Amino acid sequence: MPYQSDASHAHNTTGQTEARNVTVIPAVDLYLGTVTIVARNETLFFRHPHPQQIAKALAQAVRPSTWCEASRTLTVTVAATGKRDGQPRLFALGSRDED
C-alpha cells in the first residue's frame, strides 16, 4: 500500500476552506516601500510602511518565507535565542499595487 501522510491529506470537516501558505522569496524595494511576491505563476506587488523591517527579518531568516494570500500575511522565521525552530515574524502587507 502506498504511503499517505495523514497531515497533507486531512479533510476539513467544518466546511471552511483553510488558508493556504505557499513558500516564497519576497523582493523588498527599500526606496519605494514595496514588496514583490511571485506565487502561483502570478507576480504580486504590495506596499509596506516599514520595508526595512522586512529586509532585516529576511537577512536573519532561518527558514523559507511563506505567504498567505487570504490574510495578505508574509511570515519570515528568524533566529531567536532559546527557540530551536526560530521565531515567526508576521508582516501584514498593505494595498495591492497593480502594475
Side-chain angles (χ1 to χ4, degrees), residues 22-25 35-46 67 69 96-99:
V22 293
T23 302
V24 296
I25 301 173
V35 179
T36 305
I37 296 173
V38 178
R40 296 187 188 106
N41 296 325
E42 184 179 10
T43 303
L44 309 170
F45 301 95
F46 296 93
W67 167 248
E69 192 168 2
R96 184 172 169 181
D97 288 342
E98 299 296 331
D99 201 52

Side-chain angles (χ1 to χ4, degrees), residues 39-79:
R40 296 187 188 106
N41 296 325
E42 184 179 10
T43 303
L44 309 170
F45 301 95
F46 296 93
R47 295 214 176 270
H48 193 272
H50 305 288
Q52 299 85 357
Q53 293 176 356
I54 298 174
K56 183 178 178 182
L58 289 169
Q60 299 172 346
V62 294
R63 296 188 179 278
S65 300
T66 58
W67 167 248
C68 177
E69 192 168 2
S71 64
R72 284 199 242 178
T73 303
L74 176 67
T75 303
V76 181
T77 304
V78 299

